[in-house]
Amino acid sequence: AQSVTQLGSHVSVSEGALVLLRCNYSSSVPPYLFWYVQYPNQGLQLLLKYTSAATLVKGINGFEAEFKKSETSFHLTKPSAHMSDAAEYFCAVSQSTGNQFYFGTGTSLTVIP
Amino acid sequence: DTGVSQDPRHKITKRGQNVTFRCDPISEHNRLYWYRQTLGQGPEFLTYFQNEAQLEKSRLLSDRFSAERPKGSFSTLEIQRTEQGDSAMYLCASSFSGANTEAFFGQGTRLTVV
């Protein structure tokens, strides 16, 4: 069975501070991992995905994530938070066949001016 | 192609009525997914199609839920005899087939059952 756990349902950071959103996965096989962002009343937009080509993955809007197999983690980071980063962030894992995406419960990011 | 589109964006219905939502995927994509999202939760998988074939439907929440993709293009999700607990955001997504292909999501249909 595959699943993801997002620690911290709410994270607040000051504008300009480091953003760290945590995601741990559970998978019996090498996973396919994704981070999505959702703005209010909108669908989900892909931030980045792990392709196994590199453990450090760069995405849009200055976000990046590092795949750590030993820790079964895929945490999302951004060096300097911007007000426009305030949104809900979801980590997801897909099966090897890619026929389902399993989402975490999400982390709501608040950026304090 | 403007992405995945869903219609309507909002639907308010009375308990017991039937509702149908439409999803138009990205035209090149052969996979189409339906998810439900309730407040404060991540999207919950309901069903998916590869072309016109519905390959997984065991996660549909009850027999009141059904989905179709008759010609392998657009899809509809129907909820019969709606209940207040059906109130949620219903998300559609599409992708290419194969592993490690990301899903592209529509903006969702927000259903409110009163």
Side-chain angles (χ1 to χ4, degrees):
Chain A
Q2 305 202 5
S3 66
V4 290
T5 302
Q6 293 184 242
L7 294 176
S9 58
H10 298 277
V11 169
S12 293
V13 299
S14 297
E15 190 175 15
L18 171 71
V19 176
L20 171 60
L21 305 181
R22 299 179 185 274
C23 173
N24 289 86
Y25 67 90
S26 169
S27 174
S28 58
V29 297
Y32 300 100
L33 294 160
F34 308 82
W35 274 100
Y36 283 84
V37 62
Q38 185 177 33
Y39 297 99
N41 296 312
Q42 299 292 318
L44 281 72
Q45 179 184 4
L46 180 72
L47 278 176
L48 49 83
K49 67 177 183 180
Y50 170 62
T51 64
S52 76
T55 57
L56 184 63
V57 181
K58 294 188 183 298
I60 63 172
N61 301 339
F63 284 93
E64 60 185 34
E66 186 172 8
F67 174 73
K68 291 186 176 180
K69 185 177 179 180
S70 61
E71 299 178 6
T72 61
S73 68
F74 191 57
H75 301 332
L76 182 72
T77 60
K78 182 174 180 177
S80 177
H82 191 273
M83 295 297 295
S84 61
D85 294 328
E88 190 85 16
Y89 291 82
F90 293 95
C91 182
V93 61
S94 74
Q95 296 178 327
S96 58
T97 53
N99 61 352
Q100 287 190 35
F101 295 83
Y102 297 91
F103 287 84
T105 52
T107 297
S108 177
L109 176 66
T110 299
V111 182
I112 303 166
Chain B
D1 200 330
T2 56
V4 179
S5 63
Q6 293 187 243
D7 183 69
R9 290 290 311 279
H10 303 274
K11 177 71 175 179
I12 300 175
T13 191
K14 292 184 178 180
R15 189 172 51 187
Q17 297 295 305
N18 298 344
V19 294
T20 300
F21 308 140
R22 176 180 170 122
C23 172
D24 287 90
I26 293 172
S27 56
E28 298 86 3
H29 290 171
N30 56 353
R31 283 191 176 169
L32 186 149
Y33 311 81
W34 284 101
Y35 283 82
R36 183 181 80 156
Q37 186 179 24
T38 52
L39 197 62
Q41 298 296 316
E44 176 186 11
F45 173 79
L46 296 179
T47 187
Y48 93 101
F49 294 84
Q50 180 144 324
N51 300 312
E52 66 274 11
Q54 190 174 13
L55 298 185
E56 174 60 66
K57 57 181 180 180
S58 64
R59 299 291 189 93
L60 284 169
L61 300 165
S62 77
D63 59 7
R64 298 184 296 104
F65 287 71
S66 63
E68 293 183 344
R69 194 183 184 196
K71 297 183 179 179
S73 56
F74 74 92
S75 175
T76 57
L77 177 70
E78 182 182 18
I79 308 174
Q80 296 182 328
R81 305 180 304 280
T82 53
E83 302 173 355
Q84 286 190 322
D86 297 332
S87 296
M89 175 80 89
Y90 291 85
L91 295 166
C92 176
S94 68
S95 76
F96 293 110
S97 57
N100 204 25
T101 57
E102 65 268 29
F104 291 80
F105 282 80
Q107 294 188 309
T109 294
R110 181 165 296 283
L111 172 66
T112 302
V113 182
V114 296

mmCIF file of all heavy atoms in Angstrom, chain A residues 2-4 6 23 25 31-36 44 48 74 90-94 101-104, chain B residues 35 105:
data_model
loop_
_atom_site.group_PDB
_atom_site.id
_atom_site.type_symbol
_atom_site.label_atom_id
_atom_site.label_comp_id
_atom_site.label_asym_id
_atom_site.label_seq_id
_atom_site.Cartn_x
_atom_site.Cartn_y
_atom_site.Cartn_z
ATOM 1 N N GLN A 2 0.385 2.268 -0.631
ATOM 2 C CA GLN A 2 1.146 3.495 -0.712
ATOM 3 C C GLN A 2 0.372 4.603 -0.026
ATOM 4 O O GLN A 2 -0.849 4.691 -0.142
ATOM 5 C CB GLN A 2 1.407 3.867 -2.164
ATOM 6 C CG GLN A 2 2.087 2.764 -2.936
ATOM 7 C CD GLN A 2 2.822 3.263 -4.161
ATOM 8 O OE1 GLN A 2 2.901 4.430 -4.389
ATOM 9 N NE2 GLN A 2 3.360 2.353 -4.931
ATOM 10 N N SER A 3 1.112 5.477 0.682
ATOM 11 C CA SER A 3 0.482 6.602 1.341
ATOM 12 C C SER A 3 1.527 7.664 1.611
ATOM 13 O O SER A 3 2.738 7.410 1.526
ATOM 14 C CB SER A 3 -0.165 6.171 2.663
ATOM 15 O OG SER A 3 0.816 5.758 3.579
ATOM 16 N N VAL A 4 1.052 8.845 1.923
ATOM 17 C CA VAL A 4 1.944 9.924 2.332
ATOM 18 C C VAL A 4 1.396 10.546 3.605
ATOM 19 O O VAL A 4 0.192 10.599 3.813
ATOM 20 C CB VAL A 4 2.100 11.009 1.246
ATOM 21 C CG1 VAL A 4 2.886 10.478 0.072
ATOM 22 C CG2 VAL A 4 0.756 11.535 0.798
ATOM 23 N N GLN A 6 1.757 14.076 5.867
ATOM 24 C CA GLN A 6 2.257 15.439 5.939
ATOM 25 C C GLN A 6 2.180 15.889 7.392
ATOM 26 O O GLN A 6 1.090 15.960 7.967
ATOM 27 C CB GLN A 6 1.442 16.366 5.032
ATOM 28 C CG GLN A 6 1.634 16.062 3.561
ATOM 29 C CD GLN A 6 0.898 17.055 2.671
ATOM 30 O OE1 GLN A 6 0.004 16.690 1.914
ATOM 31 N NE2 GLN A 6 1.299 18.309 2.719
ATOM 32 N N CYS A 23 6.944 15.923 4.246
ATOM 33 C CA CYS A 23 6.195 14.826 3.637
ATOM 34 C C CYS A 23 6.999 13.543 3.795
ATOM 35 O O CYS A 23 8.174 13.489 3.417
ATOM 36 C CB CYS A 23 5.947 15.093 2.156
ATOM 37 S SG CYS A 23 5.193 13.711 1.255
ATOM 38 N N TYR A 25 6.693 9.316 3.003
ATOM 39 C CA TYR A 25 5.914 8.380 2.205
ATOM 40 C C TYR A 25 6.078 6.968 2.722
ATOM 41 O O TYR A 25 7.050 6.638 3.410
ATOM 42 C CB TYR A 25 6.331 8.457 0.732
ATOM 43 C CG TYR A 25 7.743 7.974 0.475
ATOM 44 C CD1 TYR A 25 8.009 6.647 0.170
ATOM 45 C CD2 TYR A 25 8.812 8.860 0.546
ATOM 46 C CE1 TYR A 25 9.289 6.197 -0.042
ATOM 47 C CE2 TYR A 25 10.108 8.419 0.326
ATOM 48 C CZ TYR A 25 10.344 7.089 0.046
ATOM 49 O OH TYR A 25 11.622 6.648 -0.155
ATOM 50 N N PRO A 31 8.942 4.949 -5.090
ATOM 51 C CA PRO A 31 7.726 5.734 -5.326
ATOM 52 C C PRO A 31 7.903 6.781 -6.406
ATOM 53 O O PRO A 31 9.003 7.154 -6.777
ATOM 54 C CB PRO A 31 7.515 6.409 -3.978
ATOM 55 C CG PRO A 31 8.933 6.678 -3.519
ATOM 56 C CD PRO A 31 9.746 5.502 -4.003
ATOM 57 N N TYR A 32 6.772 7.246 -6.882
ATOM 58 C CA TYR A 32 6.726 8.441 -7.715
ATOM 59 C C TYR A 32 6.070 9.513 -6.863
ATOM 60 O O TYR A 32 4.942 9.346 -6.417
ATOM 61 C CB TYR A 32 5.943 8.176 -8.994
ATOM 62 C CG TYR A 32 6.566 7.073 -9.817
ATOM 63 C CD1 TYR A 32 6.050 5.786 -9.791
ATOM 64 C CD2 TYR A 32 7.696 7.315 -10.594
ATOM 65 C CE1 TYR A 32 6.637 4.769 -10.529
ATOM 66 C CE2 TYR A 32 8.284 6.307 -11.328
ATOM 67 C CZ TYR A 32 7.751 5.030 -11.288
ATOM 68 O OH TYR A 32 8.345 4.034 -12.012
ATOM 69 N N LEU A 33 6.761 10.597 -6.626
ATOM 70 C CA LEU A 33 6.336 11.595 -5.654
ATOM 71 C C LEU A 33 6.114 12.952 -6.306
ATOM 72 O O LEU A 33 6.855 13.333 -7.228
ATOM 73 C CB LEU A 33 7.384 11.725 -4.544
ATOM 74 C CG LEU A 33 7.551 10.489 -3.670
ATOM 75 C CD1 LEU A 33 8.881 10.511 -2.942
ATOM 76 C CD2 LEU A 33 6.395 10.388 -2.679
ATOM 77 N N PHE A 34 5.151 13.665 -5.790
ATOM 78 C CA PHE A 34 4.740 14.940 -6.360
ATOM 79 C C PHE A 34 4.402 15.922 -5.224
ATOM 80 O O PHE A 34 3.971 15.519 -4.147
ATOM 81 C CB PHE A 34 3.482 14.774 -7.223
ATOM 82 C CG PHE A 34 3.578 13.700 -8.269
ATOM 83 C CD1 PHE A 34 3.359 12.370 -7.940
ATOM 84 C CD2 PHE A 34 3.870 14.017 -9.582
ATOM 85 C CE1 PHE A 34 3.442 11.367 -8.901
ATOM 86 C CE2 PHE A 34 3.950 13.030 -10.543
ATOM 87 C CZ PHE A 34 3.739 11.706 -10.207
ATOM 88 N N TRP A 35 4.572 17.199 -5.508
ATOM 89 C CA TRP A 35 4.028 18.262 -4.672
ATOM 90 C C TRP A 35 3.110 19.113 -5.532
ATOM 91 O O TRP A 35 3.472 19.525 -6.640
ATOM 92 C CB TRP A 35 5.135 19.144 -4.092
ATOM 93 C CG TRP A 35 5.727 18.635 -2.823
ATOM 94 C CD1 TRP A 35 6.907 17.956 -2.665
ATOM 95 C CD2 TRP A 35 5.192 18.792 -1.501
ATOM 96 N NE1 TRP A 35 7.119 17.680 -1.333
ATOM 97 C CE2 TRP A 35 6.084 18.185 -0.607
ATOM 98 C CE3 TRP A 35 4.036 19.400 -0.978
ATOM 99 C CZ2 TRP A 35 5.865 18.153 0.774
ATOM 100 C CZ3 TRP A 35 3.821 19.367 0.375
ATOM 101 C CH2 TRP A 35 4.726 18.752 1.242
ATOM 102 N N TYR A 36 1.917 19.357 -4.981
ATOM 103 C CA TYR A 36 0.942 20.216 -5.635
ATOM 104 C C TYR A 36 0.607 21.381 -4.703
ATOM 105 O O TYR A 36 0.670 21.259 -3.479
ATOM 106 C CB TYR A 36 -0.362 19.446 -5.915
ATOM 107 C CG TYR A 36 -0.307 18.509 -7.091
ATOM 108 C CD1 TYR A 36 0.191 17.216 -6.966
ATOM 109 C CD2 TYR A 36 -0.779 18.914 -8.339
ATOM 110 C CE1 TYR A 36 0.214 16.351 -8.056
ATOM 111 C CE2 TYR A 36 -0.760 18.059 -9.429
ATOM 112 C CZ TYR A 36 -0.257 16.777 -9.284
ATOM 113 O OH TYR A 36 -0.233 15.935 -10.361
ATOM 114 N N LEU A 44 -5.724 21.823 -8.263
ATOM 115 C CA LEU A 44 -4.351 21.641 -7.835
ATOM 116 C C LEU A 44 -3.394 21.901 -8.997
ATOM 117 O O LEU A 44 -3.661 21.506 -10.129
ATOM 118 C CB LEU A 44 -4.135 20.216 -7.322
ATOM 119 C CG LEU A 44 -4.631 19.916 -5.908
ATOM 120 C CD1 LEU A 44 -6.145 19.854 -5.843
ATOM 121 C CD2 LEU A 44 -4.025 18.608 -5.410
ATOM 122 N N LEU A 48 6.240 20.316 -8.453
ATOM 123 C CA LEU A 48 7.398 19.535 -8.880
ATOM 124 C C LEU A 48 7.094 18.053 -8.717
ATOM 125 O O LEU A 48 6.128 17.676 -8.058
ATOM 126 C CB LEU A 48 8.652 19.905 -8.069
ATOM 127 C CG LEU A 48 8.516 19.947 -6.544
ATOM 128 C CD1 LEU A 48 8.662 18.578 -5.927
ATOM 129 C CD2 LEU A 48 9.560 20.894 -5.948
ATOM 130 N N PHE A 74 10.272 13.448 1.470
ATOM 131 C CA PHE A 74 10.298 14.276 0.261
ATOM 132 C C PHE A 74 9.829 15.663 0.675
ATOM 133 O O PHE A 74 8.779 16.134 0.267
ATOM 134 C CB PHE A 74 9.411 13.655 -0.810
ATOM 135 C CG PHE A 74 9.548 14.272 -2.190
ATOM 136 C CD1 PHE A 74 10.772 14.328 -2.827
ATOM 137 C CD2 PHE A 74 8.431 14.756 -2.851
ATOM 138 C CE1 PHE A 74 10.898 14.881 -4.099
ATOM 139 C CE2 PHE A 74 8.535 15.309 -4.125
ATOM 140 C CZ PHE A 74 9.761 15.370 -4.739
ATOM 141 N N PHE A 90 0.003 20.038 -1.053
ATOM 142 C CA PHE A 90 -0.261 18.614 -0.941
ATOM 143 C C PHE A 90 0.889 17.799 -1.512
ATOM 144 O O PHE A 90 1.360 18.067 -2.615
ATOM 145 C CB PHE A 90 -1.542 18.231 -1.701
ATOM 146 C CG PHE A 90 -2.799 18.797 -1.114
ATOM 147 C CD1 PHE A 90 -3.327 19.977 -1.604
ATOM 148 C CD2 PHE A 90 -3.446 18.152 -0.066
ATOM 149 C CE1 PHE A 90 -4.485 20.513 -1.061
ATOM 150 C CE2 PHE A 90 -4.607 18.680 0.481
ATOM 151 C CZ PHE A 90 -5.118 19.863 -0.015
ATOM 152 N N CYS A 91 1.296 16.816 -0.752
ATOM 153 C CA CYS A 91 2.250 15.835 -1.221
ATOM 154 C C CYS A 91 1.458 14.641 -1.758
ATOM 155 O O CYS A 91 0.392 14.312 -1.207
ATOM 156 C CB CYS A 91 3.138 15.401 -0.061
ATOM 157 S SG CYS A 91 4.426 14.227 -0.459
ATOM 158 N N ALA A 92 1.933 14.023 -2.823
ATOM 159 C CA ALA A 92 1.209 12.896 -3.399
ATOM 160 C C ALA A 92 2.187 11.831 -3.876
ATOM 161 O O ALA A 92 3.330 12.133 -4.241
ATOM 162 C CB ALA A 92 0.336 13.355 -4.569
ATOM 163 N N VAL A 93 1.718 10.596 -3.872
ATOM 164 C CA VAL A 93 2.509 9.479 -4.375
ATOM 165 C C VAL A 93 1.639 8.701 -5.352
ATOM 166 O O VAL A 93 0.418 8.622 -5.180
ATOM 167 C CB VAL A 93 2.970 8.572 -3.209
ATOM 168 C CG1 VAL A 93 1.786 7.961 -2.456
ATOM 169 C CG2 VAL A 93 3.921 7.485 -3.686
ATOM 170 N N SER A 94 2.260 8.186 -6.381
ATOM 171 C CA SER A 94 1.486 7.380 -7.319
ATOM 172 C C SER A 94 2.058 5.977 -7.374
ATOM 173 O O SER A 94 3.225 5.741 -7.051
ATOM 174 C CB SER A 94 1.461 7.991 -8.715
ATOM 175 O OG SER A 94 2.692 7.816 -9.368
ATOM 176 N N PHE A 101 -3.334 8.485 -7.714
ATOM 177 C CA PHE A 101 -2.491 9.381 -6.940
ATOM 178 C C PHE A 101 -3.054 9.428 -5.533
ATOM 179 O O PHE A 101 -4.238 9.663 -5.350
ATOM 180 C CB PHE A 101 -2.482 10.788 -7.552
ATOM 181 C CG PHE A 101 -1.858 10.854 -8.914
ATOM 182 C CD1 PHE A 101 -2.590 10.529 -10.042
ATOM 183 C CD2 PHE A 101 -0.540 11.238 -9.078
ATOM 184 C CE1 PHE A 101 -2.022 10.573 -11.306
ATOM 185 C CE2 PHE A 101 0.044 11.298 -10.338
ATOM 186 C CZ PHE A 101 -0.698 10.969 -11.450
ATOM 187 N N TYR A 102 -2.203 9.174 -4.544
ATOM 188 C CA TYR A 102 -2.622 9.228 -3.156
ATOM 189 C C TYR A 102 -2.083 10.524 -2.551
ATOM 190 O O TYR A 102 -0.884 10.784 -2.600
ATOM 191 C CB TYR A 102 -2.081 8.033 -2.369
ATOM 192 C CG TYR A 102 -2.596 6.709 -2.858
ATOM 193 C CD1 TYR A 102 -1.911 5.985 -3.834
ATOM 194 C CD2 TYR A 102 -3.779 6.175 -2.358
ATOM 195 C CE1 TYR A 102 -2.385 4.766 -4.281
ATOM 196 C CE2 TYR A 102 -4.259 4.951 -2.797
ATOM 197 C CZ TYR A 102 -3.556 4.260 -3.763
ATOM 198 O OH TYR A 102 -4.039 3.056 -4.217
ATOM 199 N N PHE A 103 -2.992 11.295 -1.986
ATOM 200 C CA PHE A 103 -2.631 12.600 -1.467
ATOM 201 C C PHE A 103 -2.545 12.590 0.046
ATOM 202 O O PHE A 103 -3.296 11.883 0.722
ATOM 203 C CB PHE A 103 -3.656 13.648 -1.908
ATOM 204 C CG PHE A 103 -3.559 14.011 -3.357
ATOM 205 C CD1 PHE A 103 -4.186 13.255 -4.325
ATOM 206 C CD2 PHE A 103 -2.823 15.116 -3.754
ATOM 207 C CE1 PHE A 103 -4.087 13.583 -5.669
ATOM 208 C CE2 PHE A 103 -2.718 15.461 -5.092
ATOM 209 C CZ PHE A 103 -3.350 14.693 -6.048
ATOM 210 N N GLY A 104 -1.661 13.431 0.573
ATOM 211 C CA GLY A 104 -1.655 13.683 1.992
ATOM 212 C C GLY A 104 -2.807 14.611 2.362
ATOM 213 O O GLY A 104 -3.554 15.074 1.498
ATOM 214 N N TYR B 35 -11.807 12.885 -8.326
ATOM 215 C CA TYR B 35 -11.461 12.923 -6.916
ATOM 216 C C TYR B 35 -12.529 13.719 -6.183
ATOM 217 O O TYR B 35 -13.182 14.596 -6.755
ATOM 218 C CB TYR B 35 -10.114 13.617 -6.687
ATOM 219 C CG TYR B 35 -8.907 12.784 -7.017
ATOM 220 C CD1 TYR B 35 -8.462 12.671 -8.327
ATOM 221 C CD2 TYR B 35 -8.210 12.115 -6.022
ATOM 222 C CE1 TYR B 35 -7.347 11.904 -8.633
ATOM 223 C CE2 TYR B 35 -7.096 11.347 -6.314
ATOM 224 C CZ TYR B 35 -6.677 11.250 -7.622
ATOM 225 O OH TYR B 35 -5.570 10.489 -7.921
ATOM 226 N N PHE B 105 -5.075 19.052 -13.026
ATOM 227 C CA PHE B 105 -6.385 19.169 -12.414
ATOM 228 C C PHE B 105 -7.200 20.317 -12.979
ATOM 229 O O PHE B 105 -6.644 21.368 -13.357
ATOM 230 C CB PHE B 105 -6.242 19.380 -10.905
ATOM 231 C CG PHE B 105 -5.921 18.125 -10.148
ATOM 232 C CD1 PHE B 105 -4.629 17.639 -10.099
ATOM 233 C CD2 PHE B 105 -6.922 17.421 -9.507
ATOM 234 C CE1 PHE B 105 -4.323 16.464 -9.410
ATOM 235 C CE2 PHE B 105 -6.638 16.244 -8.819
ATOM 236 C CZ PHE B 105 -5.343 15.776 -8.773
#
